[in-house]
Amino acid sequence: MNESNQKPDLEEVNIVSESIPSMAEFESEINRSFKKLKEGDIVKGTVIGISDTEVTIDLDYFAEGIIKLEELSNDPRFSIKADITIGEEISATVIGEDKDGNILLSRKKADDILAWDTLKEMMDSRKVVSIKVSEAVKAGVVTYLNGIRAFIPASKLALDYVEDLNSFVGKEIDVIVVTVEPEKKKLVLSARDVLRDKAEEEKKTKISQMQVGLITTGTVEKIMPFGAFVNIGNGVSGLVHISQICGKRIKSPNEVIKEGDNVTVKIIGVKDGKISLSMKEAKEQQEKVVEDISEIPTEYKSGGNATTGLGALLKNIKLDQ
């Protein structure tokens, strides 16, 4: 039989038919490409070209979109070659048409509208983002987030007082959004909140690892009518209730101790992120003292079970005198 008269394989027919767009798909594409764009419309497209002065956008339209350099970003640190990539999806506002029929766009104008909604969501969720500080100004520093100028007050830059604001310029820091007021174009960020949350989480982890029964040394950092707070190192403090200071009844902790004193304490409780200590039990038991709690392994493997063994607790110890 002549090969030219052979019927095509059914599988080949299916492959060919699948590769040909349907009329419905053609109609959808045609409708998109001829949809009339007007000034002020916000459109979304894909970057297909980048030059030193402009970015070309595929809009699924009969004309391409052009974003001039001056319409790309409010951020003075913005680099068209470093911050835009081929294939990236960009939202922009229609601002006109050039002499060649291309659609002129502004990402800055779109940011002024769309970014505020995103920033509000970030504030509500306390999302942590990384930013780079652009410049130091009076009472704080300036940066840009989602194309919007943002202010970080000096009081929200760090956990401690910041003396030299210029030392932050050019640094990348983690922040959360704390104020969003689009009508006033006011965007305020905070690095202190991120640092405080991180420190609190680390503190909780350290406290959860403290072993009831452990005897160590610490420094009295604050005396209250009901007891004394003792810093036992590694950023961890606990409370010695007045009844646990000594074996006799006292009216005030000041009768026995004062702030700055070095004392020996026993951990008698760890609950709800708080540590209870006892000077009385530490003295009565005359047990061995762990000098540096940061060096105590929290667990080791023994027969497949995680535990804190006597050997770990007795590492770097001295006899309580």
Side-chain angles (χ1 to χ4, degrees):
M1 182 183 292
N2 193 318
E3 291 185 2
S4 62
N5 294 327
Q6 288 182 352
K7 293 184 179 181
D9 185 77
L10 182 59
E11 186 175 343
E12 291 178 355
V13 172
N14 288 336
I15 292 174
V16 172
S17 63
E18 287 175 6
S19 66
I20 300 175
S22 66
M23 287 305 296
E25 289 174 316
F26 270 127
E27 187 177 349
S28 176
E29 264 189 53
I30 292 169
N31 288 338
R32 281 200 308 271
S33 65
F34 282 97
K35 179 185 176 183
K36 183 66 176 175
L37 295 179
K38 59 183 183 298
E39 191 171 322
D41 284 349
I42 295 178
V43 295
K44 188 177 289 186
T46 304
V47 176
I48 57 174
I50 303 171
S51 73
D52 291 333
T53 58
E54 64 185 31
V55 171
T56 305
I57 307 291
D58 179 8
L59 298 172
D60 271 344
Y61 195 60
F62 66 82
E64 292 176 341
I66 302 293
I67 308 178
K68 300 290 186 182
L69 176 61
E70 60 271 18
E71 292 295 336
L72 277 166
S73 177
N74 289 306
D75 189 345
R77 297 178 293 107
F78 174 81
S79 166
I80 192 170
K81 291 295 179 69
D83 297 328
I84 300 292
T85 57
I86 297 292
E88 177 182 354
E89 196 171 66
I90 286 181
S91 294
T93 300
V94 177
I95 58 175
E97 187 177 309
D98 67 11
K99 57 182 178 61
D100 297 318
N102 295 311
I103 308 300
L104 295 177
L105 305 169
S106 171
R107 190 171 74 163
K108 291 199 307 186
K109 290 184 182 298
D111 283 345
D112 287 340
I113 298 171
L114 299 176
W116 291 103
D117 290 336
T118 302
L119 293 168
K120 177 66 166 58
E121 292 173 2
M122 290 168 64
M123 180 180 69
D124 293 340
S125 65
R126 291 179 64 84
K127 180 180 179 181
V128 177
V129 293
S130 182
I131 56 89
K132 190 172 185 178
V133 176
S134 298
E135 61 176 318
V137 295
K138 185 178 179 181
V141 298
V142 169
T143 185
Y144 288 81
L145 181 57
N146 285 20
I148 303 297
R149 186 179 188 272
F151 178 62
I152 308 176
S155 61
K156 293 187 178 296
L157 266 174
L159 291 174
D160 302 318
Y161 173 74
V162 176
E163 188 169 344
D164 183 13
L165 293 173
N166 285 302
S167 66
F168 280 83
V169 176
K171 284 188 175 181
E172 286 194 5
I173 56 176
D174 289 336
V175 297
I176 61 169
V177 179
V178 293
T179 302
V180 176
E181 296 182 7
E183 64 280 359
K184 297 180 181 178
K185 294 191 179 298
K186 183 178 180 181
L187 176 61
V188 181
L189 312 177
S190 173
R192 185 188 65 186
D193 288 54
V194 176
L195 294 171
R196 186 175 57 196
D197 291 348
K198 185 178 180 181
E200 188 64 29
E201 194 61 37
E202 288 177 351
K203 182 180 178 181
K204 287 180 180 178
T205 299
K206 291 174 182 177
I207 289 175
S208 69
Q209 293 171 346
M210 293 297 99
Q211 303 296 320
V212 174
L214 178 70
I215 296 178
T216 186
T217 57
T219 304
V220 178
E221 58 184 5
K222 191 172 185 179
I223 291 180
M224 304 294 288
F226 52 82
F229 288 96
V230 176
N231 186 331
I232 59 176
N234 202 24
V236 176
S237 296
L239 173 66
V240 181
H241 189 266
I242 191 170
S243 64
Q244 294 293 328
I245 290 179
C246 63
K248 63 179 182 179
R249 186 179 180 85
I250 57 175
K251 292 183 178 180
S252 169
N254 288 299
E255 295 177 29
V256 181
I257 55 176
K258 63 181 183 296
E259 290 182 7
D261 280 355
N262 290 320
V263 295
T264 301
V265 293
K266 177 181 178 180
I267 298 176
I268 58 174
V270 179
K271 185 178 180 182
D272 299 329
K274 298 177 181 178
I275 296 178
S276 298
L277 304 172
S278 174
M279 292 171 55
K280 180 175 68 174
E281 289 192 24
K283 186 174 183 179
E284 288 174 351
Q285 294 181 11
Q286 290 292 316
E287 295 187 26
K288 294 184 177 182
V289 180
V290 177
E291 285 290 351
D292 187 354
I293 62 171
S294 67
E295 294 182 2
I296 302 172
T298 57
E299 61 181 29
Y300 76 97
K301 299 292 183 180
S302 176
N305 297 318
T307 181
T308 301
L310 182 60
L313 292 177
L314 299 185
K315 183 181 179 182
N316 299 320
I317 61 174
K318 72 173 185 179
L319 288 175
D320 185 17
Q321 302 297 324

PDB file of all heavy atoms in Angstrom, residues 61-80:
ATOM      1  N   TYR A  61      -1.636  42.734  24.951  1.00  0.00           N
ATOM      2  CA  TYR A  61      -2.369  43.826  24.315  1.00  0.00           C
ATOM      3  C   TYR A  61      -1.763  44.022  22.937  1.00  0.00           C
ATOM      4  O   TYR A  61      -0.668  43.531  22.650  1.00  0.00           O
ATOM      5  CB  TYR A  61      -2.206  45.076  25.193  1.00  0.00           C
ATOM      6  CG  TYR A  61      -3.150  46.216  24.906  1.00  0.00           C
ATOM      7  CD1 TYR A  61      -4.525  46.050  25.011  1.00  0.00           C
ATOM      8  CD2 TYR A  61      -2.657  47.471  24.569  1.00  0.00           C
ATOM      9  CE1 TYR A  61      -5.384  47.107  24.773  1.00  0.00           C
ATOM     10  CE2 TYR A  61      -3.510  48.542  24.334  1.00  0.00           C
ATOM     11  CZ  TYR A  61      -4.863  48.351  24.428  1.00  0.00           C
ATOM     12  OH  TYR A  61      -5.722  49.403  24.197  1.00  0.00           O
ATOM     13  N   PHE A  62      -2.462  44.737  22.071  1.00  0.00           N
ATOM     14  CA  PHE A  62      -1.918  44.905  20.723  1.00  0.00           C
ATOM     15  C   PHE A  62      -0.684  45.821  20.723  1.00  0.00           C
ATOM     16  O   PHE A  62       0.061  45.876  19.751  1.00  0.00           O
ATOM     17  CB  PHE A  62      -2.985  45.442  19.752  1.00  0.00           C
ATOM     18  CG  PHE A  62      -3.458  46.835  20.048  1.00  0.00           C
ATOM     19  CD1 PHE A  62      -2.739  47.935  19.626  1.00  0.00           C
ATOM     20  CD2 PHE A  62      -4.634  47.034  20.754  1.00  0.00           C
ATOM     21  CE1 PHE A  62      -3.193  49.215  19.892  1.00  0.00           C
ATOM     22  CE2 PHE A  62      -5.092  48.301  21.021  1.00  0.00           C
ATOM     23  CZ  PHE A  62      -4.360  49.408  20.596  1.00  0.00           C
ATOM     24  N   ALA A  63      -0.481  46.539  21.835  1.00  0.00           N
ATOM     25  CA  ALA A  63       0.709  47.381  21.975  1.00  0.00           C
ATOM     26  C   ALA A  63       1.444  46.991  23.249  1.00  0.00           C
ATOM     27  O   ALA A  63       0.850  46.474  24.195  1.00  0.00           O
ATOM     28  CB  ALA A  63       0.312  48.857  22.022  1.00  0.00           C
ATOM     29  N   GLU A  64       2.750  47.237  23.251  1.00  0.00           N
ATOM     30  CA  GLU A  64       3.540  46.929  24.440  1.00  0.00           C
ATOM     31  C   GLU A  64       3.497  48.086  25.427  1.00  0.00           C
ATOM     32  O   GLU A  64       3.179  49.221  25.072  1.00  0.00           O
ATOM     33  CB  GLU A  64       5.001  46.635  24.041  1.00  0.00           C
ATOM     34  CG  GLU A  64       5.132  45.348  23.246  1.00  0.00           C
ATOM     35  CD  GLU A  64       6.553  45.114  22.761  1.00  0.00           C
ATOM     36  OE1 GLU A  64       7.340  46.096  22.727  1.00  0.00           O
ATOM     37  OE2 GLU A  64       6.884  43.966  22.417  1.00  0.00           O
ATOM     38  N   GLY A  65       3.815  47.783  26.683  1.00  0.00           N
ATOM     39  CA  GLY A  65       3.872  48.818  27.700  1.00  0.00           C
ATOM     40  C   GLY A  65       5.308  49.259  27.927  1.00  0.00           C
ATOM     41  O   GLY A  65       6.238  48.453  27.852  1.00  0.00           O
ATOM     42  N   ILE A  66       5.480  50.539  28.202  1.00  0.00           N
ATOM     43  CA  ILE A  66       6.807  51.096  28.450  1.00  0.00           C
ATOM     44  C   ILE A  66       6.790  51.830  29.793  1.00  0.00           C
ATOM     45  O   ILE A  66       5.926  52.684  30.038  1.00  0.00           O
ATOM     46  CB  ILE A  66       7.232  52.092  27.345  1.00  0.00           C
ATOM     47  CG1 ILE A  66       7.228  51.419  25.961  1.00  0.00           C
ATOM     48  CG2 ILE A  66       8.595  52.698  27.669  1.00  0.00           C
ATOM     49  CD1 ILE A  66       8.284  50.349  25.798  1.00  0.00           C
ATOM     50  N   ILE A  67       7.739  51.481  30.657  1.00  0.00           N
ATOM     51  CA  ILE A  67       7.899  52.209  31.922  1.00  0.00           C
ATOM     52  C   ILE A  67       9.261  52.897  31.887  1.00  0.00           C
ATOM     53  O   ILE A  67      10.300  52.243  31.877  1.00  0.00           O
ATOM     54  CB  ILE A  67       7.836  51.280  33.152  1.00  0.00           C
ATOM     55  CG1 ILE A  67       6.589  50.398  33.121  1.00  0.00           C
ATOM     56  CG2 ILE A  67       7.852  52.116  34.435  1.00  0.00           C
ATOM     57  CD1 ILE A  67       6.496  49.427  34.301  1.00  0.00           C
ATOM     58  N   LYS A  68       9.234  54.227  31.837  1.00  0.00           N
ATOM     59  CA  LYS A  68      10.472  54.989  31.835  1.00  0.00           C
ATOM     60  C   LYS A  68      11.145  54.890  33.206  1.00  0.00           C
ATOM     61  O   LYS A  68      10.491  54.663  34.224  1.00  0.00           O
ATOM     62  CB  LYS A  68      10.197  56.459  31.497  1.00  0.00           C
ATOM     63  CG  LYS A  68       9.552  56.683  30.130  1.00  0.00           C
ATOM     64  CD  LYS A  68      10.538  56.392  29.013  1.00  0.00           C
ATOM     65  CE  LYS A  68       9.944  56.759  27.644  1.00  0.00           C
ATOM     66  NZ  LYS A  68      10.880  56.433  26.536  1.00  0.00           N
ATOM     67  N   LEU A  69      12.449  55.083  33.236  1.00  0.00           N
ATOM     68  CA  LEU A  69      13.226  54.960  34.462  1.00  0.00           C
ATOM     69  C   LEU A  69      12.647  55.801  35.595  1.00  0.00           C
ATOM     70  O   LEU A  69      12.523  55.330  36.731  1.00  0.00           O
ATOM     71  CB  LEU A  69      14.684  55.375  34.193  1.00  0.00           C
ATOM     72  CG  LEU A  69      15.624  55.399  35.406  1.00  0.00           C
ATOM     73  CD1 LEU A  69      15.731  54.012  36.025  1.00  0.00           C
ATOM     74  CD2 LEU A  69      17.004  55.906  34.993  1.00  0.00           C
ATOM     75  N   GLU A  70      12.255  57.029  35.266  1.00  0.00           N
ATOM     76  CA  GLU A  70      11.758  57.934  36.311  1.00  0.00           C
ATOM     77  C   GLU A  70      10.394  57.525  36.860  1.00  0.00           C
ATOM     78  O   GLU A  70       9.939  58.059  37.872  1.00  0.00           O
ATOM     79  CB  GLU A  70      11.698  59.372  35.785  1.00  0.00           C
ATOM     80  CG  GLU A  70      10.787  59.589  34.584  1.00  0.00           C
ATOM     81  CD  GLU A  70      11.483  59.383  33.246  1.00  0.00           C
ATOM     82  OE1 GLU A  70      12.569  58.741  33.219  1.00  0.00           O
ATOM     83  OE2 GLU A  70      10.950  59.883  32.242  1.00  0.00           O
ATOM     84  N   GLU A  71       9.741  56.567  36.206  1.00  0.00           N
ATOM     85  CA  GLU A  71       8.430  56.109  36.661  1.00  0.00           C
ATOM     86  C   GLU A  71       8.483  54.725  37.311  1.00  0.00           C
ATOM     87  O   GLU A  71       7.452  54.147  37.617  1.00  0.00           O
ATOM     88  CB  GLU A  71       7.447  56.073  35.480  1.00  0.00           C
ATOM     89  CG  GLU A  71       7.074  57.430  34.916  1.00  0.00           C
ATOM     90  CD  GLU A  71       6.301  58.286  35.913  1.00  0.00           C
ATOM     91  OE1 GLU A  71       5.670  57.711  36.832  1.00  0.00           O
ATOM     92  OE2 GLU A  71       6.330  59.518  35.779  1.00  0.00           O
ATOM     93  N   LEU A  72       9.699  54.220  37.552  1.00  0.00           N
ATOM     94  CA  LEU A  72       9.820  52.862  38.083  1.00  0.00           C
ATOM     95  C   LEU A  72       9.778  52.789  39.608  1.00  0.00           C
ATOM     96  O   LEU A  72       9.185  51.876  40.176  1.00  0.00           O
ATOM     97  CB  LEU A  72      11.112  52.218  37.573  1.00  0.00           C
ATOM     98  CG  LEU A  72      11.010  51.593  36.178  1.00  0.00           C
ATOM     99  CD1 LEU A  72      12.390  51.295  35.617  1.00  0.00           C
ATOM    100  CD2 LEU A  72      10.171  50.324  36.223  1.00  0.00           C
ATOM    101  N   SER A  73      10.428  53.735  40.287  1.00  0.00           N
ATOM    102  CA  SER A  73      10.502  53.630  41.737  1.00  0.00           C
ATOM    103  C   SER A  73      10.767  54.975  42.399  1.00  0.00           C
ATOM    104  O   SER A  73      11.446  55.837  41.829  1.00  0.00           O
ATOM    105  CB  SER A  73      11.604  52.637  42.133  1.00  0.00           C
ATOM    106  OG  SER A  73      11.748  52.563  43.533  1.00  0.00           O
ATOM    107  N   ASN A  74      10.240  55.110  43.625  1.00  0.00           N
ATOM    108  CA  ASN A  74      10.516  56.294  44.439  1.00  0.00           C
ATOM    109  C   ASN A  74      11.829  56.152  45.206  1.00  0.00           C
ATOM    110  O   ASN A  74      12.359  57.124  45.736  1.00  0.00           O
ATOM    111  CB  ASN A  74       9.391  56.497  45.462  1.00  0.00           C
ATOM    112  CG  ASN A  74       8.102  56.949  44.806  1.00  0.00           C
ATOM    113  OD1 ASN A  74       8.083  57.930  44.076  1.00  0.00           O
ATOM    114  ND2 ASN A  74       7.017  56.232  45.062  1.00  0.00           N
ATOM    115  N   ASP A  75      12.319  54.927  45.291  1.00  0.00           N
ATOM    116  CA  ASP A  75      13.506  54.642  46.078  1.00  0.00           C
ATOM    117  C   ASP A  75      14.747  55.181  45.373  1.00  0.00           C
ATOM    118  O   ASP A  75      15.066  54.772  44.255  1.00  0.00           O
ATOM    119  CB  ASP A  75      13.635  53.123  46.260  1.00  0.00           C
ATOM    120  CG  ASP A  75      14.730  52.746  47.248  1.00  0.00           C
ATOM    121  OD1 ASP A  75      15.566  53.597  47.568  1.00  0.00           O
ATOM    122  OD2 ASP A  75      14.726  51.579  47.699  1.00  0.00           O
ATOM    123  N   PRO A  76      15.487  56.109  46.015  1.00  0.00           N
ATOM    124  CA  PRO A  76      16.687  56.669  45.369  1.00  0.00           C
ATOM    125  C   PRO A  76      17.789  55.632  45.148  1.00  0.00           C
ATOM    126  O   PRO A  76      18.702  55.849  44.355  1.00  0.00           O
ATOM    127  CB  PRO A  76      17.133  57.760  46.355  1.00  0.00           C
ATOM    128  CG  PRO A  76      16.523  57.389  47.661  1.00  0.00           C
ATOM    129  CD  PRO A  76      15.229  56.723  47.323  1.00  0.00           C
ATOM    130  N   ARG A  77      17.708  54.490  45.850  1.00  0.00           N
ATOM    131  CA  ARG A  77      18.711  53.432  45.694  1.00  0.00           C
ATOM    132  C   ARG A  77      18.365  52.480  44.552  1.00  0.00           C
ATOM    133  O   ARG A  77      19.118  51.557  44.257  1.00  0.00           O
ATOM    134  CB  ARG A  77      18.830  52.622  46.991  1.00  0.00           C
ATOM    135  CG  ARG A  77      19.313  53.400  48.187  1.00  0.00           C
ATOM    136  CD  ARG A  77      19.346  52.529  49.437  1.00  0.00           C
ATOM    137  NE  ARG A  77      17.996  52.135  49.847  1.00  0.00           N
ATOM    138  CZ  ARG A  77      17.495  50.927  49.701  1.00  0.00           C
ATOM    139  NH1 ARG A  77      18.191  49.980  49.137  1.00  0.00           N
ATOM    140  NH2 ARG A  77      16.266  50.656  50.111  1.00  0.00           N
ATOM    141  N   PHE A  78      17.231  52.709  43.897  1.00  0.00           N
ATOM    142  CA  PHE A  78      16.752  51.795  42.859  1.00  0.00           C
ATOM    143  C   PHE A  78      17.714  51.732  41.673  1.00  0.00           C
ATOM    144  O   PHE A  78      18.243  52.738  41.208  1.00  0.00           O
ATOM    145  CB  PHE A  78      15.373  52.259  42.379  1.00  0.00           C
ATOM    146  CG  PHE A  78      14.846  51.473  41.214  1.00  0.00           C
ATOM    147  CD1 PHE A  78      14.235  50.245  41.402  1.00  0.00           C
ATOM    148  CD2 PHE A  78      14.981  51.956  39.917  1.00  0.00           C
ATOM    149  CE1 PHE A  78      13.765  49.521  40.330  1.00  0.00           C
ATOM    150  CE2 PHE A  78      14.500  51.241  38.843  1.00  0.00           C
ATOM    151  CZ  PHE A  78      13.885  50.016  39.055  1.00  0.00           C
ATOM    152  N   SER A  79      17.942  50.498  41.185  1.00  0.00           N
ATOM    153  CA  SER A  79      18.779  50.284  40.007  1.00  0.00           C
ATOM    154  C   SER A  79      17.978  49.487  38.980  1.00  0.00           C
ATOM    155  O   SER A  79      17.516  48.382  39.276  1.00  0.00           O
ATOM    156  CB  SER A  79      20.051  49.522  40.390  1.00  0.00           C
ATOM    157  OG  SER A  79      20.708  49.035  39.230  1.00  0.00           O
ATOM    158  N   ILE A  80      17.813  50.028  37.805  1.00  0.00           N
ATOM    159  CA  ILE A  80      16.989  49.373  36.782  1.00  0.00           C
ATOM    160  C   ILE A  80      17.572  48.028  36.372  1.00  0.00           C
ATOM    161  O   ILE A  80      16.833  47.075  36.076  1.00  0.00           O
ATOM    162  CB  ILE A  80      16.825  50.293  35.541  1.00  0.00           C
ATOM    163  CG1 ILE A  80      15.722  49.744  34.615  1.00  0.00           C
ATOM    164  CG2 ILE A  80      18.127  50.454  34.790  1.00  0.00           C
ATOM    165  CD1 ILE A  80      15.315  50.702  33.504  1.00  0.00           C
TER     166      ILE A  80
END
